[in-house]
Amino acid sequence: MGVLENKRILLIVPGGIAAYKSLELARQLRGAGARVRAILTEAGAKFVTPLSLGAITGEKVYSDLFSLTDENEMGHIRLAREADLVVVSPATADILAKMVQGLASDLATTALLATDKPVLVAPAMNVRMWEHAATRANMETLVGRGIMVVGPGEGDLACGEEGVGRLAEVDDILAAIVGFFAARAPLRGRRAIVTSGPTFEPVDPVRFIGNRSSGKQGHAIAAALADLGARTTLISGPVAEPDPAGVQITRIETALEMRAAVKQALPADVAVMVAAVADWRVKAPAAEKIKKGGPGVRRLDLVENPDILAEISRPGNARPALVIGFAADTEDVVANGEAKRKAKGCDWILANDVSEGSGVFGGSDNTVHLIRPDGTEDWPAMAKPAVAARLAEAIASHFTDAP
Ligand code: CTP
């Protein structure tokens, strides 16, 4: 596995003589496992062709803000956000100034304005341009906004002068990118198990007992843990959610299958049980479809399913160091959550209100309370991916702070 496996990089190539080096950068990024999408500006296309950049990235190269085809395939907002990191190389004086001003005059600058992702720039320009008070002030502003900078280096410049302004070596740009992801991966080397979605308990070959869990929250948590570097196994019931990137997924239908999959995924450092597991299953599902008028249709004989969260929380060698459960309740959410934490023996509970009108089941927002042995945090209503990111950060801090 490459060090940048599953990382998505949006590479913006403006027009500068060093643009040709972006081909080598793209090649090395892909070699390290990253997925690279490129935006080539009009000026950039004077130095490298969309064809060569496309061949190296293995993806369509984007350049025209107003191309309807491009907009149909992918809006510029999506292009700007479906990345883990945006890299501008070579960052010309012109694009740096546009970034400072917040101009959106072409696809590259629009993506830079629209992105909510970290941005790394590799400046390259003539030494006078680099040393000009305007560029100095622009760099100060960009650094102040949290933009990362690699280079420029010193030496012979394409214009014949000598000094600071050379694009950083491709190896150094790559090292900066790898370093950025490593710093953001506090859970590297840790293993995580996440359960998600509902379970379906068969009644007969076509019917089942299920529930309305969408898997949105569980899938987002698996993605957030993987994002922080954890080797994550997601065990999911039937859901319509797409598979999160960078996660190993095991699909199951019943609670018994989920329990077996969890056991198989052990050992793990952290387990987050988000699935809405059916409490009951039909004792003897019919082998053939039950007919409307046939016998035995009025009653379903149910048996209790194993409590997977309680089982994995039991002390023993295989117990993950941190076990987190979910408590979905309609009243006394925190008190019931705390009682559930103790009853099930898990370490933390994320308690949420699923009463009618909360819109949690299948909805995109969640209001949760993080219940830990030393107290409860009430989190504001957040989108489910934001809840996931905050939980993943809390898990990472737990392991970083643990002796
Ligand atoms: N859970 C589990 N296995 C089960 C039932 C629940 O792993 N058979 C886990 C869920 O994934 C969740 C937590 O237990 O993390 C709480 O589930 P919940 O349905 O709220 O609680 P119940 O145990 O069903 O209790 P009650 O029905 O009394 O609310």
Side-chain angles (χ1 to χ4, degrees), residues 32-402:
R35 178 174 175 191
V36 184
R37 275 194 185 134
I39 294 180
L40 185 61
T41 69
E42 204 182 326
K46 304 260 192 269
F47 296 91
V48 296
T49 69
L51 198 63
S52 45
L53 199 51
I56 285 174
T57 58
E59 301 253 356
K60 181 178 161 53
V61 172
Y62 298 84
S63 47
D64 191 352
L65 180 58
F66 298 106
S67 155
L68 275 180
T69 337
D70 284 4
E71 285 296 304
N72 279 344
E73 283 176 10
M74 162 146 342
H76 58 269
I77 305 286
R78 256 183 72 199
L79 190 57
R81 300 209 178 139
E82 283 183 3
D84 301 305
L85 176 69
V86 181
V87 176
V88 186
S89 174
T92 58
D94 178 70
I95 202 156
L96 293 170
K98 284 176 174 156
M99 286 169 73
V100 169
Q101 293 297 321
L103 295 185
S105 48
D106 62 2
L107 182 58
T109 48
T110 306
L112 282 163
L113 196 59
T115 192
D116 56 355
K117 296 297 163 18
V119 177
L120 181 140
V121 298
M125 65 196 76
N126 166 274
V127 57
R128 300 270 167 270
M129 291 166 80
W130 176 248
E131 284 172 357
H132 195 285
T135 308
R136 303 279 83 242
N138 287 343
M139 289 309 298
E140 203 172 307
T141 303
L142 292 174
V143 169
R145 285 182 198 160
I147 304 279
M148 295 169 279
V149 185
V150 52
E154 196 173 348
D156 292 338
L157 303 176
C159 49
E161 291 186 49
E162 215 177 282
V164 178
R166 278 171 68 92
L167 182 72
E169 296 302 326
V170 169
D171 284 352
D172 293 336
I173 301 175
L174 190 72
I177 294 170
V178 170
F180 161 76
F181 283 112
R184 271 197 357 144
L187 289 175
R188 190 175 298 275
R190 305 272 179 193
R191 297 177 62 144
I193 298 174
V194 179
T195 66
S196 182
T199 63
F200 283 2
E201 309 298 333
V203 172
D204 69 15
V206 298
R207 302 181 179 93
F208 59 84
I209 299 173
N211 63 69
R212 295 186 199 282
S213 169
S214 65
K216 281 194 169 85
Q217 187 64 79
H219 278 51
I221 288 171
L225 290 169
D227 224 30
L228 295 191
R231 254 173 72 193
T232 306
T233 303
L234 171 63
I235 298 156
S236 176
V239 293
E241 278 296 290
D243 293 355
V247 163
Q248 183 177 340
I249 184 152
T250 305
R251 287 186 189 77
I252 53 84
E253 290 216 338
T254 67
L256 291 181
E257 288 166 3
M258 181 170 274
R259 175 215 229 172
V262 167
K263 277 201 176 139
Q264 198 169 5
L266 287 168
D269 299 284
V270 55
V272 191
M273 312 311 249
V274 198
V277 184
D279 288 328
W280 306 91
R281 67 177 181 276
V282 177
K283 197 170 180 181
E288 308 297 337
K289 188 181 167 208
I290 301 170
K291 295 284 181 214
K292 203 182 304 170
V297 272
R298 300 282 155 85
R299 285 176 78 125
L300 289 175
D301 209 354
L302 301 176
V303 281
E304 206 168 325
N305 270 327
D307 190 318
I308 305 167
L309 174 61
E311 280 186 5
I312 203 174
S313 298
R314 255 178 233 143
N317 284 346
R319 187 194 194 279
L322 184 61
V323 180
I324 304 171
F326 261 71
D329 256 306
T330 53
E331 53 187 357
D332 298 330
V333 179
V334 172
N336 288 338
E338 175 58 15
K340 199 165 284 180
R341 192 182 73 76
K342 293 205 172 108
K344 300 213 183 198
C346 59
D347 303 296
W348 301 357
I349 282 267
L350 267 187
N352 58 357
D353 184 348
V354 293
S355 55
E356 224 174 300
S358 71
V360 166
F361 259 44
S364 52
D365 278 15
N366 215 349
T367 308
V368 304
H369 312 269
L370 176 59
I371 304 172
R372 295 195 271 203
D374 55 355
T376 298
E377 282 178 19
D378 303 315
W379 294 359
M382 286 189 274
K384 287 179 178 176
V387 170
R390 186 155 169 185
L391 178 66
E393 292 293 347
I395 292 169
S397 311
H398 173 81
F399 283 114
T400 313
D401 298 345

